[in-house]
Amino acid sequence: MTGRLRVFLGAAPGVGKTYAMLAEGRRLHDEGTDVVVGLVETYGRRGTENQLGDLPVLPRRPVAYRGMDLTELDTGALLDRRPALALVDELAHTNAPGSRHPKRWQDVRDLLDAGIDVATTLNIQHLESLNDVVEQITGVAQRETIPDEVVRGADRIELVDLSPQALRSRMAQGEIYPPDRVDIALDHYFRAGNLGALRELALLWLADRVEEELADYRARHGIRAPWETKERILVALNGAPQGEHLIRRGARTATRVHGDLIGVHVRPDDATATREPPALAGQRALLRELHGSYVEVSGGDVARALVGFAHAESATQILLGPTSRSRLRELATGSVINRVIRLAGPIDVRVLPAPEPGLLAVPPAPRRRRPAAVPLPRRRLAWLLGPAGTAALAWALSPLRTSLALSGVLLCLLLAVTATARLGGLLPAAASTAAGALAADYFFTSPWHSLVVDRGADLAALLLFLAVAGIISHLIDGLTRRGQQADRARAEAAVLARLAGETVESGARALPELVADLRQVFGLDGAVVLVRTGPLWQPAAASGAVVPLRPDEATLTVELDRDAVLALRGPALTEEDTRLLGPYVTQLRLARERERLAAQASAAESLAHTDALHTALLDAVGQDLRAPLAAVRREAAALPTPEGTRIGGAAERMERMVANLLDLSRLRAGVIPVVLRPTAVGEVVAAAVASLPGEPAAVRAVLADGLPPVLADPGLLERAVADVLAAAARPAVVDAGAVAGRVHVRVTAPGPAPGGPGLTVAQGFVEAMNGELTAEPAPGGGMAYVLDLARAPG
């Protein structure tokens, strides 16, 4: 019988994993279970040592390695002892060479195979699958790792959780590391952001394992109905434009219930011959932005494939959009929506309507390109004159039936039908053709004045007239419509060329001109650009007699940016109008952007003027102060008393501050260039300490070997460090370390944060090198000043 493995999992060292393991061991020991401590690392922590208490501890096995005496878990002795429960700390530990196994988890596996239950501890950073992620977060590479399947195979995993603030507080109180390591640990591995990320990583990993166990349980027991342990919103995507609307609705629902969002596209089995709908690429990108996932499944039956995937993923909701199939196709192949509802079973199915037309980017054009329509007045005139005129022409020619004959009359009637087609299009021409054929039969075939045809030749002539008239009418109608399309295209090209030419010559046009031009081109009653100011809409530019004052009063609204819309009132836009509206919307957006940039340029110009005045003022003040300060320093040097030394030091510090202020103002004005290059932190810190007036021994630099160079200006960095040291109280400690791709230079000093311009000048120097200077309370009191600098590449 195999033993059971229990793992106490923590996000970081010091959260209390070993303490929790020992507490559980003591509880079971008090209940009569044979518990033995195989190996525990207390690291001198008083609480852990107290928790060990009187538990029986197995002696460690000594191992000699390179002249050192090491101790490891005595797996053989533990197998001989055969306790009911063995407590083995640090599952990911690497054993010393010469041990039974290279890794401690392999020793634990031997214990489990022997039927011994094992309780052990592990930090999340030691899991093999998370090793690179932890290194990216903390900047520290973990050499000791353990395969994930070893931990996933545990019978029980308990997360020992502690908030980042509580863990940092334990660290500051010296409960985890010795006092000489506390400051560096808090500034590097144990930063609040690092601990929060590691804690979230541990929770997510543990949640995935729980989900796997739940899926295995349901599979073993044949449970197909979804358990709503976690909401999973499944959005069906068929490539239609309303898919984005479905995704956004699903994302809002998933956010409210803390669920997962999955977009599913069912690809037909013969998808090799079918192109992917163009809208799917944008919908995949939208899913990524909204933290959802995209999946493609194949199947001949769309509804069955969709519901089968929903059951496999334990989806709780399926979102469907309105059908795009025609009534005839639904009657022939059935409704996908109805089949999904029938097959879904306990899964909720929601069918969302198409999004209401609101603030559209640009109105969508019809799917099919329809030919241009003949103007309504011409169609009315053709209906009025065509059939009646053709019949009247046949009546007028009836006296000439003996000399003109049926064929001549039909040619004359064909001319009338052609004129009707040219005037009003195909339908009036068809009516004229029918009227002409009936009139020719009535007046020109025997027996006269009846609709009966005696001769077969006359019947053939009438049928031929119908066919020829129909073909000619169709051709003339097509040519007429294409001519109108060409006229419209020429008009659009002229408008677009004018828009482009004006943009090239004079930049984006002003809003009022564009709005007026747009209203005139489209023949609208009113057009306005509305800008949102709080809950109200204010017109920025308007044209027309009937101007909408709110978006809901307009026939059509088009979004220009987050706070501005174009509102139009008038007749509905045609397909051609829709195509032409796009360039106008682009021009309006350019005009809005130009106004915004002009306002920013005006503000920047005012700020530059103010900065120039400040710089000139500082230069004047600096020049006026340098002479008297130099005189004070000379007079103080002539006084052989402690007061003279103190006065001279104060004057020297004042001169340094004036120089720093002047350089900072020149730096911000761009007069002094900032040259960033790889810089050794140790050399800069040593130079800054040596430049301090007074006793440099009051500043201690503790810099680790192998510190990476930073990307900085050496002169500015030296002055920034010197200014921070000059402003800090004594004694001060300087240390540095790499943290998540950056380098932190930390100055720790007793006492409260000082005031004055020293730190402000240093902060300006650091920000000029793309860094950051922050101050935070130091453990045990005092302040820590952290210079966050970019790490040099390579």
Side-chain angles (χ1 to χ4, degrees):
M1 182 177 178
T2 305
R4 292 172 297 179
L5 177 62
R6 183 173 181 179
V7 178
F8 291 86
L9 182 67
V15 295
K17 304 178 300 299
T18 304
Y19 186 94
M21 181 185 70
L22 291 174
E24 180 64 13
R26 287 181 61 83
R27 183 185 69 81
L28 294 174
H29 180 265
D30 294 341
E31 293 177 358
T33 304
D34 184 13
V35 179
V36 170
V37 178
L39 188 144
V40 165
E41 299 287 357
T42 63
Y43 297 107
R45 296 168 188 168
R46 192 165 48 252
T48 306
E49 292 176 347
N50 294 337
Q51 192 65 34
L52 183 59
D54 58 351
L55 286 174
V57 179
L58 189 74
R60 301 189 184 191
R61 186 174 66 87
V63 178
Y65 177 66
R66 293 185 178 180
M68 296 183 295
D69 293 329
L70 306 177
T71 58
E72 296 290 355
L73 173 67
D74 195 341
T75 308
L78 199 55
L79 289 171
D80 295 337
R81 172 69 169 73
R82 298 191 64 83
L85 175 64
L87 307 183
V88 180
D89 208 0
E90 296 186 357
L91 184 62
H93 173 74
T94 301
N95 293 328
S99 299
R100 184 188 187 100
H101 292 293
K103 295 287 188 177
R104 184 168 293 168
W105 64 264
Q106 295 170 322
D107 295 326
V108 168
R109 185 173 57 187
D110 289 349
L111 299 176
L112 296 173
D113 292 341
I116 302 173
D117 294 345
V118 177
T120 186
T121 62
L122 180 73
N123 283 329
I124 195 71
Q125 67 263 27
H126 296 296
L127 288 169
E128 203 166 68
S129 64
L130 301 179
N131 184 256
D132 56 341
V133 181
V134 173
E135 182 179 358
Q136 184 180 2
I137 293 172
T138 63
V140 179
Q142 297 292 337
R143 292 184 295 273
E144 294 183 330
T145 60
I146 181 172
D148 286 45
E149 57 268 19
V150 174
V151 187
R152 289 187 184 276
D155 298 273
R156 185 172 177 181
I157 300 177
E158 295 185 19
L159 181 66
V160 183
D161 192 24
L162 197 63
S163 68
Q165 293 76 16
L167 184 55
R168 284 175 58 86
S169 176
R170 291 189 61 192
M171 175 69 72
Q173 293 168 10
E175 297 181 9
I176 301 176
Y177 287 165
D180 58 339
R181 296 176 56 191
V182 168
D183 288 343
I184 297 177
L186 285 174
D187 191 40
H188 298 104
Y189 194 93
F190 285 83
R191 297 172 66 198
N194 291 356
L195 296 177
L198 292 174
R199 187 188 190 197
E200 183 176 0
L201 203 61
L203 291 170
L204 290 174
W205 188 90
L206 194 60
D208 287 342
R209 182 184 182 272
V210 172
E211 188 172 339
E212 289 175 3
E213 290 181 349
L214 180 61
D216 292 341
Y217 177 84
R218 294 179 61 217
R220 288 196 306 270
H221 292 78
I223 302 172
R224 294 185 54 83
W227 287 356
E228 297 186 12
T229 55
K230 185 177 184 181
E231 289 285 342
R232 287 182 176 84
I233 315 299
L234 193 148
V235 180
L237 304 174
N238 61 357
Q242 62 263 27
E244 294 190 1
H245 173 64
L246 292 178
I247 292 172
R248 290 190 172 91
R249 286 287 296 273
R252 289 196 293 270
T253 303
T255 301
R256 284 195 297 268
V257 299
H258 303 286
D260 296 333
L261 175 66
I262 307 173
V264 181
H265 172 64
V266 179
R267 184 177 59 251
D269 288 336
D270 58 347
T272 54
T274 306
R275 284 198 320 172
E276 178 184 279
L280 273 181
Q283 291 166 10
R284 281 196 296 266
L286 181 60
L287 277 168
R288 287 193 297 269
E289 292 177 8
L290 298 176
H291 306 290
S293 58
Y294 174 81
V295 179
E296 282 192 5
V297 297
S298 60
D301 188 334
V302 174
R304 189 172 296 278
L306 183 63
V307 174
F309 179 81
H311 282 295
E313 291 295 318
S314 298
T316 56
Q317 296 185 37
I318 299 177
L319 300 189
L320 301 173
T323 181
S324 58
R325 296 185 174 189
S326 63
R327 294 280 184 178
L328 182 61
R329 188 178 178 188
E330 282 197 354
L331 290 175
T333 62
S335 170
V336 174
I337 294 177
N338 291 338
R339 282 181 53 76
V340 169
I341 294 174
R342 284 198 302 270
L343 297 172
I347 302 177
D348 295 340
V349 179
R350 298 169 57 194
V351 182
L352 303 182
E356 297 181 0
L359 302 180
L360 304 176
V362 172
R367 288 188 178 181
R368 294 184 178 179
R369 182 178 179 86
R370 298 180 179 179
V374 178
L376 182 61
R378 286 176 53 180
R379 291 203 304 270
R380 290 176 177 173
L381 184 61
W383 278 107
L384 180 64
L385 298 180
T390 304
L393 178 61
W395 173 79
L397 294 175
S398 60
L400 304 176
R401 72 167 63 95
T402 55
S403 58
L404 196 58
L406 179 60
S407 59
V409 170
L410 292 177
L411 286 175
C412 294
L413 296 179
L414 186 60
L415 181 63
V417 171
T418 303
T420 303
R422 180 69 180 85
L423 178 64
L426 183 61
L427 293 180
S432 298
T433 300
L438 293 174
D441 181 16
Y442 188 82
F443 290 111
F444 290 91
T445 63
S446 59
W448 316 116
H449 304 294
S450 70
L451 297 180
V452 179
V453 180
D454 288 340
R455 299 174 55 198
D458 292 343
L459 180 60
L462 289 173
L463 294 176
L464 186 61
F465 167 76
L466 289 172
V468 172
I471 293 173
I472 292 176
S473 298
H474 178 70
L475 293 175
I476 292 176
D477 177 72
L479 291 174
T480 302
R481 291 175 183 270
R482 283 173 175 75
Q484 290 174 344
Q485 289 176 351
D487 293 340
R488 174 73 188 200
R490 282 194 294 271
E492 289 182 7
V495 172
L496 293 175
R498 177 165 54 84
L499 287 174
E502 291 173 348
T503 302
V504 171
E505 292 176 3
S506 58
R509 297 167 62 191
L511 277 177
E513 298 178 16
L514 280 169
V515 172
D517 193 12
L518 183 148
R519 186 194 65 80
Q520 183 178 2
V521 168
F522 294 106
L524 300 170
D525 300 330
V528 61
V529 173
L530 297 174
V531 179
R532 187 195 300 272
T533 55
L536 303 177
W537 292 93
Q538 299 293 335
S543 176
V546 185
V547 176
L549 299 179
R550 294 193 309 273
D552 54 7
E553 296 178 357
T555 308
L556 176 69
T557 55
V558 181
E559 184 177 2
L560 299 179
D561 53 45
R562 186 175 59 183
D563 298 319
V565 297
L566 170 65
L568 307 177
R569 177 178 286 182
L573 298 182
T574 64
E575 177 189 0
E576 291 80 6
D577 294 336
T578 300
R579 290 198 307 269
L580 191 56
L581 181 61
Y584 270 102
V585 171
T586 302
Q587 290 290 325
L588 289 169
R589 288 171 177 164
L590 288 174
R592 287 275 304 168
E593 184 67 13
R594 187 180 184 186
E595 289 183 351
R596 186 182 65 81
L597 292 176
Q600 290 181 354
S602 176
E605 184 179 355
S606 175
L607 183 60
H609 181 66
T610 303
D611 286 345
L613 290 177
H614 289 170
T615 302
L617 179 60
L618 283 173
D619 283 338
V621 171
Q623 295 297 333
D624 291 342
L625 286 177
R626 280 176 176 172
L629 286 174
V632 169
R633 191 153 51 87
R634 287 194 301 270
E635 293 296 333
L639 295 175
T641 60
E643 288 77 7
T645 303
R646 188 169 58 253
I647 294 172
E652 185 176 350
R653 287 194 298 273
M654 182 65 72
E655 285 182 330
R656 181 187 180 93
M657 183 59 63
V658 170
N660 282 341
L661 288 173
L662 290 175
D663 286 345
L664 180 60
S665 65
R666 296 188 185 107
L667 190 66
R668 289 179 173 174
V671 178
I672 300 178
V674 179
V675 181
L676 301 179
R677 63 175 183 267
T679 304
V681 175
E683 297 177 1
V684 171
V685 171
V689 172
S691 67
L692 293 176
E695 182 59 43
V699 178
R700 184 167 58 95
V702 183
L703 302 178
D705 295 334
L707 191 67
V710 297
L711 193 63
D713 186 308
L716 286 182
L717 181 57
E718 178 187 337
R719 295 177 66 177
V721 174
D723 287 342
V724 172
L725 290 172
R730 296 291 186 270
V733 178
V734 184
D735 64 82
V739 179
R742 308 277 293 182
V743 174
H744 285 186
V745 179
R746 182 184 180 96
V747 177
T748 306
L759 288 178
T760 304
V761 174
Q763 185 175 13
F765 288 158
V766 174
E767 289 176 352
M769 295 179 289
N770 302 322
E772 184 181 6
L773 174 60
T774 57
E776 60 185 30
M783 294 297 297
Y785 310 95
V786 182
L787 286 75
D788 186 344
L789 303 168
R791 184 171 177 172

